[in-house]
PDB file of all heavy atoms in Angstrom:
ATOM      1  N   LEU A   1      -6.190   9.123  -9.889  1.00 84.00           N
ATOM      2  CA  LEU A   1      -6.481  10.017 -10.976  1.00 84.00           C
ATOM      3  C   LEU A   1      -5.401  11.080 -11.098  1.00 84.00           C
ATOM      4  O   LEU A   1      -4.941  11.594 -10.056  1.00 84.00           O
ATOM      5  CB  LEU A   1      -7.843  10.692 -10.844  1.00 84.00           C
ATOM      6  CG  LEU A   1      -9.094   9.766 -10.761  1.00 84.00           C
ATOM      7  CD1 LEU A   1     -10.329  10.611 -10.438  1.00 84.00           C
ATOM      8  CD2 LEU A   1      -9.331   8.995 -12.098  1.00 84.00           C
ATOM      9  N   ASP A   2      -4.992  11.378 -12.346  1.00 85.00           N
ATOM     10  CA  ASP A   2      -4.090  12.504 -12.521  1.00 85.00           C
ATOM     11  C   ASP A   2      -4.871  13.816 -12.362  1.00 85.00           C
ATOM     12  O   ASP A   2      -6.132  13.744 -12.357  1.00 85.00           O
ATOM     13  CB  ASP A   2      -3.299  12.434 -13.861  1.00 85.00           C
ATOM     14  CG  ASP A   2      -4.253  12.565 -15.073  1.00 85.00           C
ATOM     15  OD1 ASP A   2      -5.200  13.269 -15.043  1.00 85.00           O
ATOM     16  OD2 ASP A   2      -3.997  11.795 -16.082  1.00 85.00           O
ATOM     17  N   PRO A   3      -4.161  14.953 -12.172  1.00 85.00           N
ATOM     18  CA  PRO A   3      -4.915  16.223 -11.928  1.00 85.00           C
ATOM     19  C   PRO A   3      -5.872  16.497 -13.015  1.00 85.00           C
ATOM     20  O   PRO A   3      -7.031  17.069 -12.697  1.00 85.00           O
ATOM     21  CB  PRO A   3      -3.771  17.224 -11.893  1.00 85.00           C
ATOM     22  CG  PRO A   3      -2.606  16.477 -11.374  1.00 85.00           C
ATOM     23  CD  PRO A   3      -2.729  15.033 -11.978  1.00 85.00           C
ATOM     24  N   LYS A   4      -5.546  16.294 -14.299  1.00 82.00           N
ATOM     25  CA  LYS A   4      -6.544  16.598 -15.322  1.00 82.00           C
ATOM     26  C   LYS A   4      -7.804  15.732 -15.306  1.00 82.00           C
ATOM     27  O   LYS A   4      -8.897  16.295 -15.407  1.00 82.00           O
ATOM     28  CB  LYS A   4      -5.820  16.378 -16.666  1.00 82.00           C
ATOM     29  CG  LYS A   4      -6.676  16.758 -17.902  1.00 82.00           C
ATOM     30  CD  LYS A   4      -6.884  18.233 -17.969  1.00 82.00           C
ATOM     31  CE  LYS A   4      -7.531  18.679 -19.306  1.00 82.00           C
ATOM     32  NZ  LYS A   4      -6.645  18.568 -20.506  1.00 82.00           N
ATOM     33  N   GLN A   5      -7.604  14.491 -14.996  1.00 83.00           N
ATOM     34  CA  GLN A   5      -8.797  13.600 -14.886  1.00 83.00           C
ATOM     35  C   GLN A   5      -9.637  14.011 -13.596  1.00 83.00           C
ATOM     36  O   GLN A   5     -10.914  13.945 -13.767  1.00 83.00           O
ATOM     37  CB  GLN A   5      -8.287  12.121 -14.683  1.00 83.00           C
ATOM     38  CG  GLN A   5      -7.701  11.498 -15.902  1.00 83.00           C
ATOM     39  CD  GLN A   5      -7.060  10.169 -15.661  1.00 83.00           C
ATOM     40  OE1 GLN A   5      -6.465   9.913 -14.576  1.00 83.00           O
ATOM     41  NE2 GLN A   5      -7.363   9.234 -16.582  1.00 83.00           N
ATOM     42  N   LYS A   6      -9.003  14.467 -12.546  1.00 87.00           N
ATOM     43  CA  LYS A   6      -9.804  14.810 -11.441  1.00 87.00           C
ATOM     44  C   LYS A   6     -10.586  16.141 -11.721  1.00 87.00           C
ATOM     45  O   LYS A   6     -11.730  16.234 -11.313  1.00 87.00           O
ATOM     46  CB  LYS A   6      -8.881  15.079 -10.255  1.00 87.00           C
ATOM     47  CG  LYS A   6      -9.639  15.323  -8.987  1.00 87.00           C
ATOM     48  CD  LYS A   6      -8.714  15.222  -7.755  1.00 87.00           C
ATOM     49  CE  LYS A   6      -8.446  13.800  -7.375  1.00 87.00           C
ATOM     50  NZ  LYS A   6      -7.799  13.655  -6.020  1.00 87.00           N
ATOM     51  N   GLU A   7      -9.938  17.009 -12.435  1.00 88.00           N
ATOM     52  CA  GLU A   7     -10.668  18.238 -12.876  1.00 88.00           C
ATOM     53  C   GLU A   7     -11.862  17.937 -13.743  1.00 88.00           C
ATOM     54  O   GLU A   7     -12.947  18.516 -13.623  1.00 88.00           O
ATOM     55  CB  GLU A   7      -9.709  19.187 -13.636  1.00 88.00           C
ATOM     56  CG  GLU A   7      -8.685  19.885 -12.807  1.00 88.00           C
ATOM     57  CD  GLU A   7      -7.789  20.758 -13.560  1.00 88.00           C
ATOM     58  OE1 GLU A   7      -8.191  21.195 -14.695  1.00 88.00           O
ATOM     59  OE2 GLU A   7      -6.618  21.016 -13.157  1.00 88.00           O
ATOM     60  N   GLN A   8     -11.676  17.040 -14.694  1.00 85.00           N
ATOM     61  CA  GLN A   8     -12.775  16.655 -15.611  1.00 85.00           C
ATOM     62  C   GLN A   8     -13.880  15.982 -14.729  1.00 85.00           C
ATOM     63  O   GLN A   8     -15.077  16.266 -14.982  1.00 85.00           O
ATOM     64  CB  GLN A   8     -12.289  15.664 -16.646  1.00 85.00           C
ATOM     65  CG  GLN A   8     -11.377  16.322 -17.644  1.00 85.00           C
ATOM     66  CD  GLN A   8     -10.745  15.262 -18.599  1.00 85.00           C
ATOM     67  OE1 GLN A   8     -10.479  14.159 -18.236  1.00 85.00           O
ATOM     68  NE2 GLN A   8     -10.533  15.700 -19.855  1.00 85.00           N
ATOM     69  N   LEU A   9     -13.541  15.140 -13.822  1.00 87.00           N
ATOM     70  CA  LEU A   9     -14.542  14.475 -13.000  1.00 87.00           C
ATOM     71  C   LEU A   9     -15.242  15.463 -12.081  1.00 87.00           C
ATOM     72  O   LEU A   9     -16.496  15.351 -11.955  1.00 87.00           O
ATOM     73  CB  LEU A   9     -13.930  13.364 -12.166  1.00 87.00           C
ATOM     74  CG  LEU A   9     -14.882  12.549 -11.286  1.00 87.00           C
ATOM     75  CD1 LEU A   9     -15.939  11.905 -12.096  1.00 87.00           C
ATOM     76  CD2 LEU A   9     -14.088  11.509 -10.449  1.00 87.00           C
ATOM     77  N   ARG A  10     -14.560  16.418 -11.543  1.00 88.00           N
ATOM     78  CA  ARG A  10     -15.200  17.351 -10.703  1.00 88.00           C
ATOM     79  C   ARG A  10     -16.145  18.311 -11.522  1.00 88.00           C
ATOM     80  O   ARG A  10     -17.257  18.592 -11.094  1.00 88.00           O
ATOM     81  CB  ARG A  10     -14.092  18.227 -10.020  1.00 88.00           C
ATOM     82  CG  ARG A  10     -14.713  18.909  -8.748  1.00 88.00           C
ATOM     83  CD  ARG A  10     -13.685  19.728  -8.083  1.00 88.00           C
ATOM     84  NE  ARG A  10     -13.987  19.907  -6.648  1.00 88.00           N
ATOM     85  CZ  ARG A  10     -14.919  20.741  -6.188  1.00 88.00           C
ATOM     86  NH1 ARG A  10     -15.676  21.485  -7.031  1.00 88.00           N
ATOM     87  NH2 ARG A  10     -15.179  20.813  -4.863  1.00 88.00           N
ATOM     88  N   PHE A  11     -15.690  18.696 -12.714  1.00 88.00           N
ATOM     89  CA  PHE A  11     -16.576  19.543 -13.553  1.00 88.00           C
ATOM     90  C   PHE A  11     -17.839  18.789 -13.906  1.00 88.00           C
ATOM     91  O   PHE A  11     -18.944  19.322 -13.851  1.00 88.00           O
ATOM     92  CB  PHE A  11     -15.824  19.955 -14.846  1.00 88.00           C
ATOM     93  CG  PHE A  11     -16.586  20.852 -15.670  1.00 88.00           C
ATOM     94  CD1 PHE A  11     -16.526  22.206 -15.563  1.00 88.00           C
ATOM     95  CD2 PHE A  11     -17.333  20.286 -16.763  1.00 88.00           C
ATOM     96  CE1 PHE A  11     -17.265  23.046 -16.397  1.00 88.00           C
ATOM     97  CE2 PHE A  11     -18.072  21.132 -17.574  1.00 88.00           C
ATOM     98  CZ  PHE A  11     -18.030  22.542 -17.359  1.00 88.00           C
ATOM     99  N   ALA A  12     -17.631  17.494 -14.303  1.00 86.00           N
ATOM    100  CA  ALA A  12     -18.839  16.747 -14.732  1.00 86.00           C
ATOM    101  C   ALA A  12     -19.821  16.510 -13.542  1.00 86.00           C
ATOM    102  O   ALA A  12     -21.024  16.621 -13.639  1.00 86.00           O
ATOM    103  CB  ALA A  12     -18.432  15.354 -15.282  1.00 86.00           C
ATOM    104  N   THR A  13     -19.240  16.239 -12.361  1.00 87.00           N
ATOM    105  CA  THR A  13     -20.022  16.092 -11.149  1.00 87.00           C
ATOM    106  C   THR A  13     -20.799  17.334 -10.771  1.00 87.00           C
ATOM    107  O   THR A  13     -22.000  17.295 -10.487  1.00 87.00           O
ATOM    108  CB  THR A  13     -19.112  15.640  -9.968  1.00 87.00           C
ATOM    109  OG1 THR A  13     -18.458  14.445 -10.325  1.00 87.00           O
ATOM    110  CG2 THR A  13     -19.980  15.375  -8.731  1.00 87.00           C
ATOM    111  N   GLN A  14     -20.105  18.495 -10.858  1.00 91.00           N
ATOM    112  CA  GLN A  14     -20.778  19.751 -10.568  1.00 91.00           C
ATOM    113  C   GLN A  14     -21.863  20.011 -11.551  1.00 91.00           C
ATOM    114  O   GLN A  14     -22.957  20.533 -11.144  1.00 91.00           O
ATOM    115  CB  GLN A  14     -19.737  20.883 -10.536  1.00 91.00           C
ATOM    116  CG  GLN A  14     -20.263  22.268 -10.162  1.00 91.00           C
ATOM    117  CD  GLN A  14     -20.765  22.230  -8.679  1.00 91.00           C
ATOM    118  OE1 GLN A  14     -19.989  22.107  -7.771  1.00 91.00           O
ATOM    119  NE2 GLN A  14     -22.065  22.296  -8.462  1.00 91.00           N
ATOM    120  N   ALA A  15     -21.597  19.697 -12.827  1.00 89.00           N
ATOM    121  CA  ALA A  15     -22.668  19.971 -13.920  1.00 89.00           C
ATOM    122  C   ALA A  15     -23.838  19.077 -13.538  1.00 89.00           C
ATOM    123  O   ALA A  15     -24.988  19.537 -13.715  1.00 89.00           O
ATOM    124  CB  ALA A  15     -22.093  19.672 -15.237  1.00 89.00           C
ATOM    125  N   PHE A  16     -23.619  17.808 -13.224  1.00 87.00           N
ATOM    126  CA  PHE A  16     -24.695  16.882 -12.852  1.00 87.00           C
ATOM    127  C   PHE A  16     -25.516  17.436 -11.670  1.00 87.00           C
ATOM    128  O   PHE A  16     -26.780  17.398 -11.657  1.00 87.00           O
ATOM    129  CB  PHE A  16     -24.130  15.541 -12.563  1.00 87.00           C
ATOM    130  CG  PHE A  16     -25.174  14.564 -12.013  1.00 87.00           C
ATOM    131  CD1 PHE A  16     -26.111  13.980 -12.854  1.00 87.00           C
ATOM    132  CD2 PHE A  16     -25.191  14.272 -10.601  1.00 87.00           C
ATOM    133  CE1 PHE A  16     -27.038  13.053 -12.288  1.00 87.00           C
ATOM    134  CE2 PHE A  16     -26.083  13.398 -10.102  1.00 87.00           C
ATOM    135  CZ  PHE A  16     -27.018  12.789 -10.900  1.00 87.00           C
ATOM    136  N   LEU A  17     -24.789  17.869 -10.624  1.00 88.00           N
ATOM    137  CA  LEU A  17     -25.447  18.272  -9.445  1.00 88.00           C
ATOM    138  C   LEU A  17     -26.273  19.598  -9.745  1.00 88.00           C
ATOM    139  O   LEU A  17     -27.379  19.718  -9.191  1.00 88.00           O
ATOM    140  CB  LEU A  17     -24.385  18.626  -8.365  1.00 88.00           C
ATOM    141  CG  LEU A  17     -23.736  17.292  -7.759  1.00 88.00           C
ATOM    142  CD1 LEU A  17     -22.587  17.783  -6.790  1.00 88.00           C
ATOM    143  CD2 LEU A  17     -24.726  16.458  -7.006  1.00 88.00           C
ATOM    144  N   ASP A  18     -25.710  20.459 -10.473  1.00 91.00           N
ATOM    145  CA  ASP A  18     -26.464  21.697 -10.881  1.00 91.00           C
ATOM    146  C   ASP A  18     -27.782  21.332 -11.642  1.00 91.00           C
ATOM    147  O   ASP A  18     -28.805  21.959 -11.410  1.00 91.00           O
ATOM    148  CB  ASP A  18     -25.606  22.577 -11.770  1.00 91.00           C
ATOM    149  CG  ASP A  18     -24.508  23.319 -10.980  1.00 91.00           C
ATOM    150  OD1 ASP A  18     -24.638  23.342  -9.714  1.00 91.00           O
ATOM    151  OD2 ASP A  18     -23.604  23.814 -11.582  1.00 91.00           O
ATOM    152  N   ALA A  19     -27.652  20.302 -12.508  1.00 90.00           N
ATOM    153  CA  ALA A  19     -28.804  19.895 -13.275  1.00 90.00           C
ATOM    154  C   ALA A  19     -29.887  19.259 -12.358  1.00 90.00           C
ATOM    155  O   ALA A  19     -31.057  19.368 -12.640  1.00 90.00           O
ATOM    156  CB  ALA A  19     -28.400  18.929 -14.390  1.00 90.00           C
ATOM    157  N   MET A  20     -29.485  18.505 -11.306  1.00 88.00           N
ATOM    158  CA  MET A  20     -30.364  17.837 -10.514  1.00 88.00           C
ATOM    159  C   MET A  20     -30.907  18.646  -9.301  1.00 88.00           C
ATOM    160  O   MET A  20     -31.561  18.100  -8.462  1.00 88.00           O
ATOM    161  CB  MET A  20     -29.716  16.574  -9.995  1.00 88.00           C
ATOM    162  CG  MET A  20     -29.293  15.501 -11.052  1.00 88.00           C
ATOM    163  SD  MET A  20     -30.725  15.075 -12.054  1.00 88.00           S
ATOM    164  CE  MET A  20     -31.731  14.217 -10.869  1.00 88.00           C
ATOM    165  N   SER A  21     -30.621  19.897  -9.282  1.00 91.00           N
ATOM    166  CA  SER A  21     -31.154  20.758  -8.258  1.00 91.00           C
ATOM    167  C   SER A  21     -32.698  20.649  -8.114  1.00 91.00           C
ATOM    168  O   SER A  21     -33.320  20.709  -9.180  1.00 91.00           O
ATOM    169  CB  SER A  21     -30.633  22.164  -8.421  1.00 91.00           C
ATOM    170  OG  SER A  21     -31.433  23.095  -7.581  1.00 91.00           O
ATOM    171  N   PRO A  22     -33.247  20.561  -6.980  1.00 91.00           N
ATOM    172  CA  PRO A  22     -34.700  20.519  -6.881  1.00 91.00           C
ATOM    173  C   PRO A  22     -35.331  21.805  -7.378  1.00 91.00           C
ATOM    174  O   PRO A  22     -36.551  21.792  -7.690  1.00 91.00           O
ATOM    175  CB  PRO A  22     -34.931  20.370  -5.313  1.00 91.00           C
ATOM    176  CG  PRO A  22     -33.653  20.824  -4.702  1.00 91.00           C
ATOM    177  CD  PRO A  22     -32.561  20.471  -5.655  1.00 91.00           C
ATOM    178  N   SER A  23     -34.648  22.851  -7.566  1.00 94.00           N
ATOM    179  CA  SER A  23     -35.198  24.085  -8.117  1.00 94.00           C
ATOM    180  C   SER A  23     -35.516  23.931  -9.573  1.00 94.00           C
ATOM    181  O   SER A  23     -36.223  24.720 -10.162  1.00 94.00           O
ATOM    182  CB  SER A  23     -34.218  25.306  -7.914  1.00 94.00           C
ATOM    183  OG  SER A  23     -32.963  25.036  -8.577  1.00 94.00           O
ATOM    184  N   ASN A  24     -34.934  22.865 -10.296  1.00 92.00           N
ATOM    185  CA  ASN A  24     -35.084  22.757 -11.689  1.00 92.00           C
ATOM    186  C   ASN A  24     -36.238  21.844 -12.051  1.00 92.00           C
ATOM    187  O   ASN A  24     -36.499  21.559 -13.275  1.00 92.00           O
ATOM    188  CB  ASN A  24     -33.816  22.088 -12.277  1.00 92.00           C
ATOM    189  CG  ASN A  24     -32.611  22.924 -12.092  1.00 92.00           C
ATOM    190  OD1 ASN A  24     -32.710  24.129 -11.934  1.00 92.00           O
ATOM    191  ND2 ASN A  24     -31.439  22.295 -12.118  1.00 92.00           N
ATOM    192  N   PHE A  25     -37.094  21.396 -11.023  1.00 90.00           N
ATOM    193  CA  PHE A  25     -38.190  20.436 -11.305  1.00 90.00           C
ATOM    194  C   PHE A  25     -39.500  21.044 -10.734  1.00 90.00           C
ATOM    195  O   PHE A  25     -39.460  21.559  -9.610  1.00 90.00           O
ATOM    196  CB  PHE A  25     -37.896  19.054 -10.815  1.00 90.00           C
ATOM    197  CG  PHE A  25     -36.683  18.422 -11.378  1.00 90.00           C
ATOM    198  CD1 PHE A  25     -35.424  18.634 -10.753  1.00 90.00           C
ATOM    199  CD2 PHE A  25     -36.728  17.702 -12.550  1.00 90.00           C
ATOM    200  CE1 PHE A  25     -34.296  18.087 -11.302  1.00 90.00           C
ATOM    201  CE2 PHE A  25     -35.585  17.146 -13.078  1.00 90.00           C
ATOM    202  CZ  PHE A  25     -34.367  17.363 -12.514  1.00 90.00           C
ATOM    203  N   PRO A  26     -40.520  20.937 -11.489  1.00 90.00           N
ATOM    204  CA  PRO A  26     -41.822  21.641 -11.026  1.00 90.00           C
ATOM    205  C   PRO A  26     -42.312  21.104  -9.720  1.00 90.00           C
ATOM    206  O   PRO A  26     -42.759  21.889  -8.848  1.00 90.00           O
ATOM    207  CB  PRO A  26     -42.753  21.398 -12.177  1.00 90.00           C
ATOM    208  CG  PRO A  26     -42.203  20.301 -12.963  1.00 90.00           C
ATOM    209  CD  PRO A  26     -40.694  20.355 -12.802  1.00 90.00           C
ATOM    210  N   LEU A  27     -42.319  19.802  -9.442  1.00 89.00           N
ATOM    211  CA  LEU A  27     -42.914  19.240  -8.237  1.00 89.00           C
ATOM    212  C   LEU A  27     -42.030  19.451  -7.016  1.00 89.00           C
ATOM    213  O   LEU A  27     -42.491  19.205  -5.903  1.00 89.00           O
ATOM    214  CB  LEU A  27     -43.168  17.841  -8.468  1.00 89.00           C
ATOM    215  CG  LEU A  27     -44.269  17.435  -9.508  1.00 89.00           C
ATOM    216  CD1 LEU A  27     -44.474  16.004  -9.591  1.00 89.00           C
ATOM    217  CD2 LEU A  27     -45.560  18.176  -9.171  1.00 89.00           C
ATOM    218  N   THR A  28     -40.755  19.840  -7.211  1.00 90.00           N
ATOM    219  CA  THR A  28     -39.879  20.055  -6.044  1.00 90.00           C
ATOM    220  C   THR A  28     -39.434  21.559  -5.912  1.00 90.00           C
ATOM    221  O   THR A  28     -38.549  21.824  -5.168  1.00 90.00           O
ATOM    222  CB  THR A  28     -38.608  19.170  -6.143  1.00 90.00           C
ATOM    223  OG1 THR A  28     -37.992  19.410  -7.447  1.00 90.00           O
ATOM    224  CG2 THR A  28     -38.920  17.732  -6.024  1.00 90.00           C
ATOM    225  N   ASN A  29     -40.162  22.447  -6.610  1.00 94.00           N
ATOM    226  CA  ASN A  29     -39.853  23.820  -6.476  1.00 94.00           C
ATOM    227  C   ASN A  29     -41.170  24.553  -6.041  1.00 94.00           C
ATOM    228  O   ASN A  29     -42.115  24.653  -6.832  1.00 94.00           O
ATOM    229  CB  ASN A  29     -39.412  24.432  -7.870  1.00 94.00           C
ATOM    230  CG  ASN A  29     -38.939  25.807  -7.769  1.00 94.00           C
ATOM    231  OD1 ASN A  29     -39.463  26.612  -6.998  1.00 94.00           O
ATOM    232  ND2 ASN A  29     -37.927  26.144  -8.593  1.00 94.00           N
ATOM    233  N   PRO A  30     -41.185  25.014  -4.808  1.00 95.00           N
ATOM    234  CA  PRO A  30     -42.459  25.646  -4.381  1.00 95.00           C
ATOM    235  C   PRO A  30     -42.828  26.870  -5.034  1.00 95.00           C
ATOM    236  O   PRO A  30     -44.050  27.214  -5.096  1.00 95.00           O
ATOM    237  CB  PRO A  30     -42.112  25.919  -2.847  1.00 95.00           C
ATOM    238  CG  PRO A  30     -40.638  25.948  -2.755  1.00 95.00           C
ATOM    239  CD  PRO A  30     -40.172  24.988  -3.777  1.00 95.00           C
ATOM    240  N   GLU A  31     -41.848  27.608  -5.502  1.00 96.00           N
ATOM    241  CA  GLU A  31     -42.121  28.811  -6.360  1.00 96.00           C
ATOM    242  C   GLU A  31     -42.962  28.481  -7.572  1.00 96.00           C
ATOM    243  O   GLU A  31     -43.859  29.191  -7.984  1.00 96.00           O
ATOM    244  CB  GLU A  31     -40.870  29.575  -6.642  1.00 96.00           C
ATOM    245  CG  GLU A  31     -40.048  30.068  -5.483  1.00 96.00           C
ATOM    246  CD  GLU A  31     -38.755  30.685  -5.935  1.00 96.00           C
ATOM    247  OE1 GLU A  31     -38.800  31.844  -6.405  1.00 96.00           O
ATOM    248  OE2 GLU A  31     -37.673  30.031  -5.796  1.00 96.00           O
ATOM    249  N   VAL A  32     -42.532  27.440  -8.226  1.00 95.00           N
ATOM    250  CA  VAL A  32     -43.192  26.984  -9.470  1.00 95.00           C
ATOM    251  C   VAL A  32     -44.641  26.579  -9.168  1.00 95.00           C
ATOM    252  O   VAL A  32     -45.572  26.924  -9.870  1.00 95.00           O
ATOM    253  CB  VAL A  32     -42.380  25.869 -10.127  1.00 95.00           C
ATOM    254  CG1 VAL A  32     -43.192  25.239 -11.308  1.00 95.00           C
ATOM    255  CG2 VAL A  32     -41.032  26.352 -10.633  1.00 95.00           C
ATOM    256  N   LEU A  33     -44.824  25.761  -8.131  1.00 94.00           N
ATOM    257  CA  LEU A  33     -46.077  25.321  -7.696  1.00 94.00           C
ATOM    258  C   LEU A  33     -47.019  26.442  -7.374  1.00 94.00           C
ATOM    259  O   LEU A  33     -48.197  26.523  -7.789  1.00 94.00           O
ATOM    260  CB  LEU A  33     -46.036  24.341  -6.562  1.00 94.00           C
ATOM    261  CG  LEU A  33     -45.306  23.035  -6.806  1.00 94.00           C
ATOM    262  CD1 LEU A  33     -45.103  22.200  -5.596  1.00 94.00           C
ATOM    263  CD2 LEU A  33     -46.036  22.186  -7.881  1.00 94.00           C
ATOM    264  N   GLU A  34     -46.538  27.462  -6.644  1.00 95.00           N
ATOM    265  CA  GLU A  34     -47.351  28.606  -6.274  1.00 95.00           C
ATOM    266  C   GLU A  34     -47.765  29.354  -7.461  1.00 95.00           C
ATOM    267  O   GLU A  34     -48.891  29.822  -7.566  1.00 95.00           O
ATOM    268  CB  GLU A  34     -46.493  29.478  -5.280  1.00 95.00           C
ATOM    269  CG  GLU A  34     -47.290  30.689  -4.781  1.00 95.00           C
ATOM    270  CD  GLU A  34     -46.442  31.474  -3.788  1.00 95.00           C
ATOM    271  OE1 GLU A  34     -46.317  31.017  -2.683  1.00 95.00           O
ATOM    272  OE2 GLU A  34     -45.957  32.559  -4.189  1.00 95.00           O
ATOM    273  N   ARG A  35     -46.801  29.599  -8.399  1.00 95.00           N
ATOM    274  CA  ARG A  35     -47.169  30.362  -9.592  1.00 95.00           C
ATOM    275  C   ARG A  35     -48.181  29.614 -10.410  1.00 95.00           C
ATOM    276  O   ARG A  35     -49.119  30.249 -11.068  1.00 95.00           O
ATOM    277  CB  ARG A  35     -45.921  30.695 -10.374  1.00 95.00           C
ATOM    278  CG  ARG A  35     -46.149  31.549 -11.631  1.00 95.00           C
ATOM    279  CD  ARG A  35     -44.856  32.104 -12.227  1.00 95.00           C
ATOM    280  NE  ARG A  35     -45.103  32.806 -13.447  1.00 95.00           N
ATOM    281  CZ  ARG A  35     -45.611  34.026 -13.566  1.00 95.00           C
ATOM    282  NH1 ARG A  35     -45.837  34.700 -12.473  1.00 95.00           N
ATOM    283  NH2 ARG A  35     -45.778  34.598 -14.771  1.00 95.00           N
ATOM    284  N   ALA A  36     -48.064  28.298 -10.527  1.00 94.00           N
ATOM    285  CA  ALA A  36     -48.982  27.541 -11.293  1.00 94.00           C
ATOM    286  C   ALA A  36     -50.422  27.653 -10.785  1.00 94.00           C
ATOM    287  O   ALA A  36     -51.382  27.789 -11.497  1.00 94.00           O
ATOM    288  CB  ALA A  36     -48.574  26.057 -11.374  1.00 94.00           C
ATOM    289  N   VAL A  37     -50.542  27.645  -9.416  1.00 94.00           N
ATOM    290  CA  VAL A  37     -51.840  27.813  -8.769  1.00 94.00           C
ATOM    291  C   VAL A  37     -52.400  29.226  -9.029  1.00 94.00           C
ATOM    292  O   VAL A  37     -53.534  29.391  -9.343  1.00 94.00           O
ATOM    293  CB  VAL A  37     -51.745  27.500  -7.298  1.00 94.00           C
ATOM    294  CG1 VAL A  37     -53.047  27.881  -6.547  1.00 94.00           C
ATOM    295  CG2 VAL A  37     -51.382  26.061  -7.068  1.00 94.00           C
ATOM    296  N   GLU A  38     -51.528  30.222  -8.920  1.00 95.00           N
ATOM    297  CA  GLU A  38     -51.949  31.588  -9.088  1.00 95.00           C
ATOM    298  C   GLU A  38     -52.439  31.842 -10.478  1.00 95.00           C
ATOM    299  O   GLU A  38     -53.392  32.583 -10.744  1.00 95.00           O
ATOM    300  CB  GLU A  38     -50.745  32.555  -8.802  1.00 95.00           C
ATOM    301  CG  GLU A  38     -50.411  32.644  -7.280  1.00 95.00           C
ATOM    302  CD  GLU A  38     -49.193  33.501  -7.104  1.00 95.00           C
ATOM    303  OE1 GLU A  38     -48.489  33.813  -8.070  1.00 95.00           O
ATOM    304  OE2 GLU A  38     -48.824  33.776  -5.946  1.00 95.00           O
ATOM    305  N   THR A  39     -51.778  31.269 -11.468  1.00 95.00           N
ATOM    306  CA  THR A  39     -52.091  31.476 -12.872  1.00 95.00           C
ATOM    307  C   THR A  39     -53.118  30.477 -13.434  1.00 95.00           C
ATOM    308  O   THR A  39     -53.398  30.488 -14.657  1.00 95.00           O
ATOM    309  CB  THR A  39     -50.922  31.524 -13.757  1.00 95.00           C
ATOM    310  OG1 THR A  39     -50.272  30.193 -13.715  1.00 95.00           O
ATOM    311  CG2 THR A  39     -49.901  32.610 -13.295  1.00 95.00           C
ATOM    312  N   LYS A  40     -53.562  29.534 -12.558  1.00 92.00           N
ATOM    313  CA  LYS A  40     -54.507  28.464 -12.966  1.00 92.00           C
ATOM    314  C   LYS A  40     -53.834  27.643 -14.150  1.00 92.00           C
ATOM    315  O   LYS A  40     -54.504  27.246 -15.093  1.00 92.00           O
ATOM    316  CB  LYS A  40     -55.801  29.008 -13.423  1.00 92.00           C
ATOM    317  CG  LYS A  40     -56.609  29.717 -12.295  1.00 92.00           C
ATOM    318  CD  LYS A  40     -57.914  30.224 -12.736  1.00 92.00           C
ATOM    319  CE  LYS A  40     -58.692  30.882 -11.508  1.00 92.00           C
ATOM    320  NZ  LYS A  40     -60.020  31.388 -11.990  1.00 92.00           N
TER     321      LYS A  40
END
């Protein structure tokens, strides 16, 4: 890959990883689950 292609791939990979963080999903975020229980 040329440097520009590698930058594009790294940016896209980082964006994907940020999106797939367990903090972004209700069943894999304990803070979300706790608040849901607290607020019924």
